[in-house]
Amino acid sequence: MANIAIVSPSASSRQLMADVLRTKGHQVNCMTSWQELDFAPMKIENQALFLLDHSLGDERVINIIADIRRLSTHYRIPIMVISASPRSEDVLRLFNLGIDDYYLKPLDAGILYSRVKRLLDLLPVPAEPHYPDTIEFDLNQLINFEIARASRGNYPFSIIQLSLDVDEAKRRPEHDVQELMNLCYDTLHRQLRETDILIGAENRLVVLCPFSDQTGTRVVMRKIIDHLSRQEADYPFSILEMSYATYPYDGRDKGGLLTYASANKEPLKEFPKSTANTLRHGG
């Protein structure tokens, strides 16, 4: 059923029109003036039809019509004006301004609804997709896929895990923790190659790095840490931990890689020194 907006200064007219439409299952939004409706386009486009009472005043009705046409950019929302004026010049002027129907009072429930239904039938029907609009993979599926691909191609594959120290995170406001994870996501996303995949899972971010051996993975981690450390004063990095695992050296299946990464987590604040030392000594 449709959302229908009624704008009328008359309580009796609003009630009659609303009763007719609600008995047919429609959602009705009654207003005594246009100012009651937020002017945001999304609010306008939530309505499938506008019924405007001409007793609002000629100038006000003209302004409302102009606002609806200006703010409804995705499709044309039908407008019906309900009026007691039979003058042809009034009718023609409003049609030229963009209305879709002109209902001459007095109101009759049956006739009113038949004309409302005609206007609603003119609304565009959205096309239904013939294919899924999203393809979802969970972390386990993605790791299994990359391991199988690395095994067939005989090349390494690494995962980098950035996670929260759960005990430390509990001491922080939830908003701060979420802001930190958002920052980490943005930073990791900027550092990725086209072949890398970034996925969030259970308060952690995991980067899947095809073709990356241990040395290459540590270089990527070094870049991530360098970028995050530039904003250390504004974010509680003490609650972050980082780890990595490389196929086939640290595990030959999903379980082995994730177990190795989880068992070798280090606080992010300790990683710059340990990573630099590892790089200098070649792993």
Side-chain angles (χ1 to χ4, degrees):
M1 293 291 101
N3 293 326
I4 300 175
I6 298 172
V7 189
S8 172
S10 167
S12 59
S13 294
R14 289 196 309 273
Q15 189 64 53
L16 191 155
M17 290 187 282
D19 288 346
V20 170
L21 298 173
R22 285 174 178 143
T23 58
K24 300 297 184 178
H26 297 293
Q27 181 70 38
V28 181
N29 181 17
C30 289
M31 294 167 284
T32 59
S33 69
W34 186 235
Q35 283 69 32
E36 293 178 36
L37 186 70
D38 187 354
F39 272 24
M42 184 61 68
K43 213 58 174 301
I44 297 289
E45 292 182 344
N46 279 344
Q47 312 305 313
L49 172 65
F50 281 91
L51 303 182
L52 308 180
D53 191 336
H54 199 229
S55 62
L56 287 161
D58 196 54
E59 185 176 351
R60 287 194 181 94
V61 169
I62 290 172
N63 289 337
I64 294 172
I65 294 168
D67 283 336
I68 294 171
R69 289 289 171 254
R70 176 173 55 86
L71 295 171
S72 56
T73 57
H74 290 88
Y75 65 92
R76 179 186 175 90
I77 301 174
I79 302 171
M80 179 193 295
V81 171
I82 294 94
S83 176
S85 171
R87 296 192 307 168
S88 58
E89 55 266 34
D90 289 338
V91 178
L92 289 173
R93 184 175 73 259
L94 291 171
F95 270 107
N96 287 334
L97 289 171
I99 71 168
D100 300 277
D101 199 359
Y102 188 95
Y103 186 103
L104 189 61
K105 293 179 179 180
L107 291 170
D108 176 273
I111 296 174
L112 174 67
Y113 186 70
S114 67
R115 294 172 72 164
V116 165
K117 185 177 183 303
R118 182 187 69 83
L119 292 177
L120 293 177
D121 288 343
L122 297 176
L123 290 172
V125 178
E128 292 293 332
H130 298 286
Y131 50 85
D133 58 354
T134 58
I135 300 176
E136 295 184 357
F137 293 96
D138 64 22
L139 180 60
N140 293 333
Q141 288 176 302
L142 287 169
I143 293 177
N144 283 332
F145 172 78
E146 291 296 346
I147 289 175
R149 192 165 66 156
S151 176
R152 288 195 300 270
N154 194 29
Y155 58 76
F157 156 67
S158 295
I159 63 173
I160 298 172
Q161 181 173 271
L162 191 65
S163 56
L164 294 172
D165 181 315
V166 177
D167 292 333
E168 284 286 341
K170 287 179 180 177
R171 301 188 185 101
R172 304 280 181 170
E174 185 176 343
H175 174 77
D176 289 353
V177 173
Q178 187 58 60
E179 283 291 318
L180 175 60
M181 295 306 290
N182 290 342
L183 172 67
C184 292
Y185 179 91
D186 293 340
T187 300
L188 266 62
H189 187 70
R190 287 193 296 269
Q191 296 303 309
L192 297 185
R193 305 165 300 178
E194 291 184 358
T195 54
D196 297 336
I197 299 172
L198 174 62
I199 187 170
E202 300 175 353
N203 289 327
R204 59 179 169 162
L205 300 174
V206 179
V207 184
L208 310 185
C209 305
F211 316 109
S212 292
D213 60 12
Q214 292 166 314
T215 301
T217 302
R218 289 193 291 265
V219 170
V220 174
M221 294 168 68
R222 173 77 252 182
K223 291 180 179 178
I224 292 170
I225 293 167
D226 286 345
H227 278 77
L228 287 175
S229 63
R230 294 171 191 170
Q231 303 182 66
E232 187 172 5
D234 299 319
Y235 293 93
F237 288 113
S238 60
I239 68 174
L240 289 175
E241 299 174 322
M242 202 172 198
S243 60
Y244 78 99
T246 300
Y247 169 88
Y249 312 107
D250 303 320
R252 302 192 66 87
D253 57 22
K254 167 186 64 71
L257 289 177
L258 290 176
T259 298
Y260 182 90
S262 296
N264 290 276
K265 292 187 290 187
E266 292 187 48
L268 189 67
K269 59 186 177 183
E270 297 178 12
F271 244 101
K273 182 166 60 177
S274 61
T275 307
N277 289 338
T278 305
L279 283 172
R280 279 198 297 271
H281 291 92

